Structure formats: structure tokens, C-alpha cells
Amino acid sequence: MKTSRLPLRGRFAPVALGLTLALTLAACGGTTQDDADDEATAGGDEPAATADAGGEFETGLSIAMLPKSVNNPYFEASSTGAETAVGDLEGEYEYTGPSDTSASSQVSYINTLSQQAADVILLSANDPNALCSSLEQARAAGTSVVTFDSDVDPSCRDAFVSQVDGAEVGRTLIEMMSEQIGGEGQIAILSATANATNQNAWIAVIEDELANNPDYANMELVTTVYGDDEDEKSFQETQGLLQANPELKGIISPTTVGIAAAARYLQGSEYKGQIALTGLGTPNQMREFVKDETVTEFALWDPTALGELAAYAGAAVASGIITGAEGETFTAGELGEYTVGADGVIVLGPPTRFNAGNIDDFDF
């Protein structure tokens, strides 16, 4: 199995297990062991986690990022942000994961990181439930778990760093598509994996808008297909969509791999300029398609900032500054102060639209 695993250093080594357990809360990864000993217990066994908003970040934390898959420009950008944050925190950083997008592949990496006594796992999940057992074992061993980009069931992690408000993403996607096809016609969705929580949440908003917003009364979603965040499969799914739906006016691809593959297919086909394509992509991967008018406009947040915020959130949990409870606050370096929302959700910010007028202002 190919990975981008870096050499293990310092506290990632198994011999560090005792020290890591002494610094993290066994059940929740939310405070120090000394603090936990002083707290009232829940049910007589589990120490109640408490936050120390005025506390300082621990140095030397081992923080690992586990994306949906490696060799993905979006996650590589997130890793750059996370690595910068971990460096500022004087910690140890690792970027590792499977080359495919199956939940079972992620499980083995979670187990390995837990065995290596990682203080924090930053996870973009391929399935909301299939990873929970491994995550619970990791947390019980003293590892704090912060999801980013794509969440798991809230009971399986300490906090979730969301790119933006999910409903806002869905509304932005359908609004851009409506503008590009004149508010009428058949559209399709090219998604990542069928179980990706973030993709499915955005698609649900798109479907709701189509069903209930009169602005989209003349638009019809004919199908949703899945490219599994694989370039070639996404390319082939795009071809299949156009062959099977001759009246199709546009494609929404809420995944960076999918939108780039779809754009590449359109660029070399008779459909260029005839089929609207929008979704979520990075400026660097989409620039040529905007410049040659294959794509008019797409959107995204800054994945580098997302990774940076995830790393600070993970370090805040491992340091006892937050536990993931609503209303807690922490400072994420130069990104500023963030407040934990309901269900442990921390929101980065609104999406940015990219088009010919502004795409050269961005480099990620």
C-alpha cells in the first residue's frame, strides 16, 4: 500500500506511550491526567473532562494528519497548513494515509497511529460510522481525535473542524449552477464516495433547494454519480453522464478531484462551452480551465487554513484548553480566536468564489 508516510520521530515511537497517557485524558483526550484526577467522575469510572481556556499549548505534541487519501492536492494543501501550525507549536508532525478512499483502509492507519501513541489524529473520514470502533480505541489509549473536512458520528471524536457551514456550501453550489445555465435545464452531480458525510450533506441541501426554492423551479437533478475521488474514475463518470443524458445542461462536482477530472474531459471534448461545470476546486488545479473558458466559476475555502485550524484545534484538545463542548474558545495562531459550536463543530469560514476576475489572486 502506497503512502506518504514520513519517518517516525520522538513521541510517535511506542516507547512514548506512558508519557502520552500521563498528558492526555484516557477517555476524552480533553484535559491532563492531574486535572482529571481532581474532577468528579461520571458513572463512577469516567473522569469528567474540563477545559482550561487560559491554559497554554503543550510543546512536543505528536500530531498526525490522516486524509481520505494521499496524493490529493486538496489534502496536500491542508497538510501544509497543519505542518506549519505544528511547527509553531514545537510539535512532531506526520502526514499519512491510504492511496484509496475506502474506510477499511483508514482503519489500519488509525490503529497504527494509536499504537504509536500519537497525541492527536486529524482525520478526514471516508465513512461516518465505520471508523468509530478504531477511533474509540485510540481515544481510550490517550489520543485526541479531531476530524476535519469530513466528519464521523460526534460521539467518536472530540471536535470537528468544518470548512464552512454545510448549508451555505450547498446553496452556493446550486446558485452558481443556476447562474451558469440561466436557471433552467437538467443537471447532474459528480460526487466523491457514496458515504462521504460532507458530500452527502451538501447534496442534501442542493436537493432541498431544488425542491423548495422557486428560483430553481425550472431545474432538474437527473442523477448523482460517484468518482470515489479517483481521477480516472471521475473522468469516466463524466463521460458516462454526458452520453446517458443528452439534454444535460450542467454538472456540479463538490470534490476537488472530481471537478478537475470533469474539466479535463470537457476541455478535450465537443461539450466544451456547451456544458456548465461548477463545484469545489483549488485555484491552482482549475486555473487553466478557467483561462480557456472550460469552467466559468467554482468555489472553495482555503484548504491550507483548514489544515492549520485543525492542527490548532487538535493541540487545544490534547492540551486541555478545550474539550469540544459548545461555547469553549481557543486561539489558532494568526487565524485568530474560534468558538466551539454545537456538537463540537468549529467552522473555518465562508466559501470563496473563483472566476477569471480573481483566480490569479490566489495560490493554493
Side-chain angles (χ1 to χ4, degrees), residues 305-324:
L306 180 66
E308 185 176 356
L309 179 56
Y312 273 106
V317 173
S319 301
I321 297 171
I322 63 173
T323 66

Side-chain angles (χ1 to χ4, degrees), residues 49-104:
T50 58
D52 180 10
E56 297 183 355
F57 287 103
E58 293 183 13
T59 59
L61 291 171
S62 54
I63 300 178
M65 175 172 281
L66 175 55
K68 291 179 180 177
S69 64
V70 295
N71 304 318
N72 180 322
Y74 172 86
F75 289 118
E76 289 172 359
S78 295
S79 178
T80 297
E83 186 169 19
T84 297
V86 175
D88 291 341
L89 293 168
E90 299 180 26
E92 299 285 342
Y93 180 71
E94 181 183 11
Y95 178 61
T96 186
S99 56
D100 64 274
T101 56
S102 68
S104 59

Side-chain angles (χ1 to χ4, degrees), residues 15-294:
V15 294
L17 180 58
L19 179 58
T20 304
L21 288 175
L23 293 174
T24 55
L25 176 63
C28 299
T31 186
T32 65
Q33 189 63 51
D34 289 338
D35 290 339
D37 290 340
D38 293 335
E39 292 301 319
T41 59
D45 295 316
E46 295 290 340
T50 58
D52 180 10
E56 297 183 355
F57 287 103
E58 293 183 13
T59 59
L61 291 171
S62 54
I63 300 178
M65 175 172 281
L66 175 55
K68 291 179 180 177
S69 64
V70 295
N71 304 318
N72 180 322
Y74 172 86
F75 289 118
E76 289 172 359
S78 295
S79 178
T80 297
E83 186 169 19
T84 297
V86 175
D88 291 341
L89 293 168
E90 299 180 26
E92 299 285 342
Y93 180 71
E94 181 183 11
Y95 178 61
T96 186
S99 56
D100 64 274
T101 56
S102 68
S104 59
S105 294
Q106 284 190 312
V107 166
S108 65
Y109 284 89
I110 294 169
N111 293 340
T112 297
L113 290 170
S114 177
Q115 292 164 6
Q116 293 169 345
D119 290 312
V120 180
I121 294 175
L122 309 176
L123 169 72
S124 179
N126 279 321
D127 188 281
N129 299 306
L131 307 175
C132 280
S133 177
S134 293
L135 293 175
E136 288 164 356
Q137 291 178 34
R139 295 173 72 202
T143 297
S144 299
V145 175
V146 170
T147 51
F148 75 102
D149 175 70
S150 184
D151 201 9
V152 294
D153 186 283
S155 66
C156 307
R157 44 72 170 167
D158 296 291
F160 168 51
V161 177
S162 178
Q163 308 91 321
V164 289
D165 175 81
E168 190 173 8
V169 174
R171 287 192 292 266
T172 298
L173 293 173
I174 191 62
E175 184 176 284
M176 288 189 298
M177 177 53 67
S178 177
E179 292 170 357
Q180 293 178 36
I181 65 172
E184 62 181 37
Q186 295 182 351
I187 64 172
I189 294 174
L190 170 62
S191 188
T193 62
N195 294 323
T197 54
N198 55 348
Q199 306 281 313
N200 290 339
W202 302 330
I203 292 170
V205 172
I206 291 172
E207 292 172 339
D208 182 70
E209 288 290 308
L210 288 170
N212 299 300
N213 190 331
D215 290 343
Y216 310 127
N218 295 320
M219 295 173 60
E220 177 190 4
L221 176 62
V222 293
T223 188
T224 297
V225 297
Y226 303 94
D228 292 340
D229 260 356
E230 296 176 4
D231 178 78
E232 188 58 35
K233 184 174 182 182
S234 298
F235 185 92
Q236 293 171 352
E237 290 290 349
T238 302
Q239 182 182 37
L241 276 175
L242 296 171
Q243 291 176 347
N245 301 279
E247 301 301 317
L248 201 66
K249 290 289 190 68
I251 299 172
I252 298 174
S253 187
T255 160
T256 58
V257 174
I259 192 174
R264 195 173 77 254
Y265 177 80
L266 292 177
Q267 185 184 56
S269 75
E270 62 185 296
Y271 298 102
K272 179 182 176 181
Q274 306 300 314
I275 299 295
L277 172 65
T278 192
L280 302 177
T282 69
N284 287 351
Q285 71 176 156
M286 296 300 294
R287 185 171 283 106
E288 69 170 288
F289 303 117
V290 171
K291 296 282 189 179
D292 72 1
E293 300 182 345
T294 300

Side-chain angles (χ1 to χ4, degrees), residues 290-291 296-297 353-362:
V290 171
K291 296 282 189 179
T296 300
E297 189 175 49
R353 293 192 185 193
F354 305 100
N355 50 51
N358 69 356
I359 196 167
D360 284 337
D361 296 334
F362 300 89

